[in-house]
C-alpha cells in the first residue's frame, strides 16, 4: 500500500468515525508510513515506566518522539504535554500517536489537533492492544502482536 493510499484510508476512517483528528492507522500502516517517509514521526504518549518495563517500538531515533500523556506514578495528566510536543514537533508534521491500547493516543491526537497540529493520526490498537481472555496483552492486537519491530520485556 502506498503512503498516499494509507493516508487516504486513514482519513476516511476518521471521517466515517467522526474522529476529531486527521485519521486512524493500524500498527502495520504506521510502520509502513515511518519506513516510507523519514519526516513522519511516531509520538509515544505512554509513561516512562511503561516504556522501561514493557518495551518500545524499534524505529529510527529521529522519528521516535516521547511525550507522556499521564505522569507516573501519580497517574495525573501531564500539564506540559502541549509544551513538550511543541518542542519536539511542528504543526505541519505528520504525527502518529501511540499508547498501550489506543485510548490515550486518541486523546493526544485530539488535543494536538485542537491546538493547531493538522496531521495527527491515532495508531489504533496501540503498542500492546487489549487484553485476551486470560488478561494478557500483546496476544490479541497491537504493534507487538503484529510482529513489528520492538525491544523490551
Amino acid at each position: 500500500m502506498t503512503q498516499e493510499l494509507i493516508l487516504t484510508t486513514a482519513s476516511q476512517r476518521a471521517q466515517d468515525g467522526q474522529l476529531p483528528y486527521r485519521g486512524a492507522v493500524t500498527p502495520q500502516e504506521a510502520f509502513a508510513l515511518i519506513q516510507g517517509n523519514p519526516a513522519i514521526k511516531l509520538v509515544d504518549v505512554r509513561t516512562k515506566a511503561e516504556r522501561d518495563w514493557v518495551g518500545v517500538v524499534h524505529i529510527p531515533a529521529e522519528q521516535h518522539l516521547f511525550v507522556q500523556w499521564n505522569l507516573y506514578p501519580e497517574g495525573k495528566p501531564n500539564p506540559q504535554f502541549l509544551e513538550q510536543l511543541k518542542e519536539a514537533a511542528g504543526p505541519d508534521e505528520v504525527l502518529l500517536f501511540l499508547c498501550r491500547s489506543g485510548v490515550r493516543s486518541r486523546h493526544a491526537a485530539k488535543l494536538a489537533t485542537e491546538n493547531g497540529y493538522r496531521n495527527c493520526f491515532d495508531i489504533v490498537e496501540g503498542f500492546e492492544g487489549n487484553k485476551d481472555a486470560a488478561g494478557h496483552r500483546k496476544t490479541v492486537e497491537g504493534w507487538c502482536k503484529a510482529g513489528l519491530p520492538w525491544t523490551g520485556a
Side-chain angles (χ1 to χ4, degrees):
M1 196 183 276
T2 67
Q3 300 265 316
E4 187 176 318
L5 183 55
I6 291 171
L7 293 174
T8 299
T9 301
S11 294
Q12 188 62 52
R13 283 187 196 115
Q15 197 171 40
D16 293 346
Q18 297 181 326
L19 304 175
Y21 40 82
R22 174 129 181 248
V25 294
T26 67
Q28 297 90 332
E29 290 167 344
F31 186 61
L33 289 169
I34 290 163
Q35 284 187 303
N37 185 342
I40 292 176
K41 295 186 172 127
L42 182 145
V43 183
D44 190 336
V45 301
R46 297 175 300 147
T47 65
K48 182 178 183 329
E50 286 176 284
R51 292 168 49 88
D52 290 347
W53 299 336
V54 177
V56 295
V57 298
H58 187 71
I59 61 174
E62 60 275 5
Q63 289 179 275
H64 191 179
L65 308 178
F66 169 52
V67 184
Q68 296 180 102
W69 180 253
N70 291 324
L71 302 175
Y72 179 86
E74 310 93 302
K76 294 179 182 175
N78 178 1
Q80 297 180 319
F81 178 81
L82 282 172
E83 180 181 315
Q84 293 169 353
L85 182 63
K86 287 176 185 173
E87 290 173 10
D92 294 323
E93 293 185 85
V94 174
L95 303 177
L96 312 174
F97 290 87
L98 176 78
C99 69
R100 179 183 65 197
S101 57
V103 176
R104 287 171 286 174
S105 56
R106 286 194 302 261
H107 293 300
K110 178 180 185 288
L111 183 64
T113 299
E114 290 169 350
N115 284 274
Y117 287 82
R118 293 180 270 292
N119 297 300
C120 297
F121 294 84
D122 174 42
I123 301 176
V124 299
E125 302 176 13
F127 183 70
E128 296 181 83
N130 287 306
K131 293 179 181 177
D132 63 19
H136 300 116
R137 296 189 188 271
K138 300 182 186 172
T139 61
V140 177
E141 61 188 6
W143 186 280
C144 299
K145 170 69 171 140
L148 301 172
W150 66 282
T151 56

